[in-house]
Amino acid sequence: MAVPFSDETSLRWALLAFEFLIAFALIYNSQNQPFPRPSFRFGWLLVLLASLILIGQAAPRPMTVYAHLIMLSGVGGFGLVAGVYQLAQTQRDVLVAPYAGMLFCVGVVGLMVSTWDDLSKIEQWAGFLTIVVLGGGETWLIFRGLLIGKLPRAWSQAGMVALMQGRLTGKNGAIECFEKGWDADEEHLNPMAYVALHRIHTFLGQHEEAEIWKEYLEREGGESAVASEYIRAIHDALADLDSEAAQRLPQFTEEE
C-alpha cells in the first residue's frame, strides 16, 4: 500500500489544495472582520498564485515541490510580517497572521524535511529546534488571532466609518460595529460605544433600545466619560444624514 503523498505528483496536488483552502478561509472569514480588506486581499493573492501553479501543472515541466515550498515560505513570511503588524500594532485584523503562519510553517518544515538526509547531526538538531519554535509560535498566533482575537478598537473605528457613510443598520453597519466595540480590558472604549448606540437608536426613533444603551452609559460614568469632540462627530454625522431626524437627539453642548 502506497504512503499518501509519497510521490512528488501527489505532494504537488496536496500543496495546491492546502493553498486554496487557506485562501478561501481568508476570503470567507474576512467578512467577519471590522476591516476586511487585509485578509480579503491576501486571500485573493493566494488564489491568484495557486491558480497560476494549477495552470502550470499541465506544462511538460511543472513547478517542483522544492520550488513550491520556497514560494510558500516566501509568501507565508510576507503575510506573517504584515499580519503580525496588523494584529499587534494597528489591531485591525486577526486573520492574516495565523493563516500566513500556517503557510510559512509548511514551507519551512517542508524544506527541512526535503534536505534532512543531507544535514549533519548539529544541523538536524538545529532544524528540530526551529520546528519546535515555529510550532509554538503558530500555536500562539492561532490562539491569539483565531480563538481569542478581539478587536474592540477596530470595531469602534469601523462603526465611525459606517456612521460617516450612512450605514446605520445591517451587516457591518454602525450599530453592529459599535455593539462589538466594547471590551472589559479596554474600559475607555465602553462609554464611547454606548453613547454612539444611544444616539443612533434615538436618531432612528427606537427609544426602548436607546434607553437600554443610556443605562449602560450611565454605569460607565455618563457622557462625561466621553470626549466632547467624539460626541460632536456623532451628532454631525447623523445631522448630515437627516437633519429632521437629528432633532430627536439630545441637545449637545461642549460641557458634555
Side-chain angles (χ1 to χ4, degrees):
M1 181 177 178
V3 179
F5 312 132
S6 58
D7 61 290
E8 184 163 331
T9 301
S10 299
L11 189 53
R12 283 203 302 264
W13 286 109
L15 290 174
L16 272 173
F18 173 70
E19 289 165 9
F20 277 114
L21 177 64
I22 295 295
F24 288 125
L26 279 166
I27 294 171
Y28 177 77
N29 290 317
S30 66
Q31 60 186 328
N32 298 319
Q33 296 293 292
F35 295 97
R37 185 172 296 179
S39 51
F40 185 80
R41 285 183 170 180
F42 190 65
W44 277 110
L45 173 63
L46 290 178
V47 169
L48 175 62
L49 293 175
S51 298
L52 291 175
I53 298 173
L54 179 62
I55 295 172
Q57 294 300 302
R61 297 179 62 185
M63 177 183 283
T64 64
V65 170
Y66 190 79
H68 205 148
L69 293 172
I70 292 176
M71 188 211 72
L72 276 179
S73 302
V75 174
F78 166 76
L80 187 59
V81 172
V84 169
Y85 176 78
Q86 294 282 353
L87 179 65
Q89 193 69 25
T90 66
Q91 297 184 4
R92 289 192 169 193
D93 182 271
V94 296
L95 295 179
V96 174
Y99 280 116
M102 295 179 193
L103 296 173
F104 184 73
C105 288
V106 169
V108 172
V109 172
L111 289 173
M112 289 183 183
V113 171
S114 64
T115 59
W116 193 261
D117 294 335
D118 300 327
L119 301 178
S120 65
K121 284 292 184 181
I122 296 178
E123 290 172 333
Q124 288 179 347
W125 275 108
F128 174 75
L129 292 176
T130 301
I131 292 173
V132 171
V133 171
L134 287 175
E138 179 59 21
T139 301
W140 181 84
L141 285 175
I142 290 175
F143 274 94
R144 176 64 179 83
L146 300 182
L147 298 183
I148 61 174
K150 295 185 294 183
L151 300 169
R153 186 189 306 173
W155 281 114
S156 184
Q157 294 170 346
M160 284 300 296
V161 172
L163 179 59
M164 298 295 182
Q165 295 175 346
R167 296 183 291 107
L168 301 184
T169 59
K171 180 68 174 178
N172 285 344
I175 291 178
E176 180 179 335
C177 291
F178 281 121
E179 286 178 347
K180 298 177 181 178
W182 65 274
D183 186 71
D185 297 326
E186 299 184 65
E187 296 183 356
H188 65 283
L189 296 175
N190 299 350
M192 297 171 64
Y194 298 155
V195 72
L197 288 165
H198 171 256
R199 294 300 198 269
I200 293 172
H201 283 295
T202 301
F203 175 82
L204 295 174
Q206 300 169 348
H207 300 294
E208 292 184 5
E209 290 85 352
E211 285 301 316
I212 292 174
W213 292 111
K214 185 177 181 180
E215 291 179 10
Y216 284 122
L217 177 61
E218 294 299 328
R219 295 177 189 175
E220 297 290 337
E223 295 182 12
S224 60
V226 184
S228 59
E229 294 83 1
Y230 183 79
I231 301 176
R232 168 61 69 187
I234 295 173
H235 278 237
D236 291 344
L238 293 173
D240 290 340
L241 291 178
D242 189 336
S243 57
E244 292 186 7
Q247 294 178 2
R248 303 179 187 140
L249 300 175
Q251 291 295 320
F252 174 79
T253 59
E254 293 298 330
E255 287 75 21
E256 286 186 88

